[in-house]
Amino acid sequence: MPRTQKNDNFIDKSFTVMADIILKILPANKKAKEAFVYYRDGMSAQAEGEYAEALDYYNEALELEQDPNDRSYVLYNMGLIYASNGDHNKALEYYHQAIELNPRMPQALNNIAVIYHFQGERAKEAGDNDAGEALFDQATDYWIRAIRLAPNNYIEAQNWLKTTGRSQVDIFF
């Protein structure tokens, strides 16, 4: 049974109906429309916690999708799945690929920073202060990039940058 027929709640059904309408009127070629269907089904599976199924749909979408911006969102969502499963290295790979295609994706930049910050905390807890600081420096770079793109977002990151002295000026507000 196609995923579009599995949606049980009102919001999922509404999203599916709207996506189908947009898909029909969208001036895109058949391949792009098919890629969108896989992407939509991947998002639906991901929302339900069906991560393996979502990854399958996303991989299908990547095989068909040519638009770099659209590909970046597929890669970003794949990164989300790997991050939620604790595979931070794989998540970083997908986030970096997404940014290569779309450098103006603050959410991917933020997620990279969050992972580097987490890894920095773990390194410091393990007694490796130098590695921890290096990871914090990487987190800083990515958070600054994300905040420049979305100045009203990532308030906790902005506070961390200020309280740790990694941001000297209020350039973000």
Side-chain angles (χ1 to χ4, degrees), residues 85-145:
N85 286 333
D87 190 344
H88 295 142
N89 291 330
K90 195 79 162 170
L92 285 170
E93 287 177 34
Y94 283 101
Y95 292 145
H96 282 292
Q97 288 178 48
I99 289 170
E100 283 178 31
L101 295 173
N102 181 2
R104 299 189 52 79
M105 185 180 262
Q107 62 271 42
L109 294 165
N110 175 66
N111 289 3
I112 290 170
V114 167
I115 291 172
Y116 285 145
H117 184 268
F118 173 79
Q119 290 174 337
E121 286 181 333
R122 292 299 167 259
K124 284 189 163 238
E125 287 171 6
D128 193 347
N129 285 334
D130 290 341
E133 284 300 318
L135 287 160
F136 285 160
D137 288 344
Q138 286 183 290
T140 297
D141 293 341
Y142 282 94
W143 266 324
I144 288 173
R145 288 174 61 190

Side-chain angles (χ1 to χ4, degrees), residues 21-70:
I21 291 170
I22 291 169
L23 195 57
K24 286 177 185 166
I25 62 171
L26 190 69
N29 64 36
K30 185 178 187 295
K31 204 172 184 182
K33 289 181 180 186
E34 192 176 341
F36 178 78
V37 169
Y38 282 117
Y39 177 66
R40 180 199 61 206
D41 288 348
M43 288 191 314
S44 178
Q46 184 175 356
E48 293 175 12
E50 299 293 336
Y51 297 140
E53 182 181 354
L55 287 172
D56 288 342
Y57 284 124
Y58 290 148
N59 280 315
E60 291 289 336
L62 284 175
E63 286 187 27
L64 297 166
E65 186 57 66
Q66 299 297 313
D67 181 73
N69 193 55
D70 291 343

Side-chain angles (χ1 to χ4, degrees), residues 143-144 146-163 167-173:
W143 266 324
I144 288 173
I147 293 164
R148 283 190 177 134
L149 292 171
N152 296 322
N153 295 355
Y154 317 117
I155 302 303
E156 286 182 39
Q158 292 183 44
N159 289 335
W160 179 82
L161 291 168
K162 288 177 191 169
T163 59
S167 172
Q168 304 301 332
V169 225
D170 287 335
I171 58 171
F172 307 125
F173 293 109

